Amino acid sequence: MKLIDGKAIAAQIRKEIAEEVQQIKARGGKTPHLAAVLVGHDGGSETYVANKVKMCEEVGFQSTLIRYENNVTEAELLSCVDKLNNDADIDGFIVQLPLPKHISEDKITEAIDYRKDVDGFHPVNVGRMSIGLPCFLSATPSGIVELIRRYEIETSGKHCVVLGRSNIVGKPAATLMLQKGYPGDCTVSVCHSRTKNIKEICLQADIIIAALGVPKFLKSNMVKDGAVVIDVGTTRVPSTETKSGFKLTGDVDFAEVAPKCSYITPVPGGVGPMTIISLMKNTLLAGKKEIYK
Ligand code: GUN
């Protein structure tokens, strides 16, 4: 069993990005600039956004954090998106999800200029991804395929089972594993809460991508010997072992599944660190106008 060290790969890519930013600055180019919009004070969102801003500093990007209280109106938020769309200094921006119930996430996502949509959530980017055109790939699935690529894990003709059908992980991960060429060319099955015989389907998998958000869902009797297991779960489970009072728990019962795997990602330290790095990669591409002129 080989542990997929997302932390180490992310650190390596962070170095690659930082070096490229230095070169851009040295030749008088524009420093890539990411803006993040955060509504309210959700603990998870606060942490994610703080980490994104911190990572911008580490790679040499400029960053701007825009905060609103929970009672912000949809119109106010749309006006903020419009301003960012038209601000020539901002290369890319994100609106951290989830948003309060009175605001339509779809409306906000669609209002973002797809050329600045470094989250890759806009329908134009999702559509371009699904037909294999250059686009901003959403961060988590992009991080997953990067791990597979850097570990040179074989994918051609393999059966990849994706657990979960969310728009930001399950569906795009399935799309990427299905894509022509490496790291795709898989036969893909997508399972979800209504799937019958999940265990039997998982047992046929060469690669399992678990993104259900159900802690320790995947057990050893659902995994065949030699499978590759990618754990996307990051549920905060109350714990007395940590200072914060919670423990990030994956969708895979690591202790019992790991011995059966050829490769497995830990939680934390697997897919998680790759997600922010993918956002940095998209911001660099946005700054260089490499995908959209
Ligand atoms: N909420 C959870 N993950 C994400 C993400 O990747 N981007 C944004 N904008 N919100 C999120």
Side-chain angles (χ1 to χ4, degrees):
M1 185 271 289
K2 269 195 190 152
L3 204 61
I4 297 180
D5 189 345
K7 207 170 154 190
I9 299 287
Q12 194 178 322
I13 301 174
R14 186 180 64 198
K15 228 174 99 194
E16 291 165 14
I17 295 173
E19 277 165 15
E20 195 169 341
V21 175
Q22 260 188 347
Q23 286 166 13
I24 291 171
K25 288 181 182 174
R27 53 173 192 264
K30 180 185 177 299
T31 301
H33 188 172
L34 174 75
V37 181
L38 174 60
V39 178
H41 300 272
D42 171 78
S45 293
E46 290 264 7
T47 307
Y48 292 139
V49 170
N51 287 340
K52 287 169 187 177
V53 168
K54 188 166 151 243
M55 186 61 74
C56 279
E57 271 172 36
E58 285 179 25
V59 298
F61 292 166
Q62 200 182 334
S63 68
T64 297
L65 173 60
I66 301 163
R67 299 195 68 135
Y68 288 96
E69 290 302 323
N70 258 315
N71 62 0
V72 65
T73 65
E74 190 175 86
E76 282 171 313
L77 207 52
L78 284 169
S79 153
C80 169
V81 166
D82 189 52
K83 258 199 216 136
L84 291 168
N85 283 341
N86 291 299
D87 184 338
D89 198 62
I90 302 287
D91 298 297
F93 67 97
I94 64 157
V95 178
Q96 187 67 23
L97 305 178
L99 292 172
K101 294 260 179 306
H102 65 279
I103 296 171
S104 158
E105 289 184 355
D106 288 345
K107 227 184 201 175
I108 300 296
T109 301
E110 284 192 62
I112 296 171
D113 184 333
Y114 66 89
R115 294 165 299 187
K116 293 190 176 190
D117 167 42
V118 285
D119 257 334
F121 292 171
H122 190 282
V124 169
N125 282 310
V126 177
R128 290 177 67 92
M129 172 192 63
S130 74
I131 56 174
L133 291 175
C135 63
F136 292 122
L137 288 178
S138 71
T140 304
S142 165
I144 293 169
V145 295
E146 193 58 31
L147 284 177
I148 290 173
R149 198 198 314 272
R150 298 236 174 184
Y151 274 82
E152 298 178 351
I153 292 168
E154 212 180 295
T155 57
S156 179
K158 301 293 182 190
H159 185 195
C160 175
V161 171
V162 178
L163 302 178
R165 56 176 162 177
S166 71
N167 287 337
I168 67 176
V169 186
K171 279 188 218 163
T175 301
L176 293 178
M177 297 312 287
L178 184 63
Q179 213 71 270
K180 233 182 171 88
Y182 188 76
D185 287 335
C186 283
T187 302
V188 177
S189 302
V190 182
C191 299
H192 47 81
S193 52
R194 296 284 188 272
T195 301
K196 291 177 181 152
N197 311 327
I198 281 204
K199 182 183 165 194
E200 286 70 26
I201 296 168
C202 286
L203 277 169
Q204 293 172 24
D206 301 302
I207 302 169
I208 299 177
I209 299 174
L212 286 167
V214 180
K216 299 193 179 181
F217 175 86
L218 194 75
K219 302 290 182 190
S220 65
N221 66 356
M222 301 167 79
V223 179
K224 79 173 176 191
D225 278 329
V228 175
V229 172
I230 311 283
D231 190 351
V232 191
T234 53
T235 309
R236 295 168 158 225
V237 174
S239 167
T240 50
E241 292 166 36
T242 59
K243 249 196 270 168
S244 61
F246 66 84
K247 197 172 161 188
L248 274 191
T249 306
D251 288 357
V252 177
D253 194 327
F254 186 88
E256 60 170 78
V257 170
K260 291 186 102 173
C261 297
S262 56
Y263 292 90
I264 186 166
T265 62
V267 175
V271 174
M274 293 298 290
T275 299
I276 289 187
I277 280 298
S278 303
L279 176 67
M280 298 299 119
K281 239 165 54 180
N282 279 348
T283 305
L284 181 60
L285 289 170
K288 294 196 296 181
K289 306 267 181 287
E290 213 163 282
I291 291 176
Y292 304 114
K293 303 296 164 218

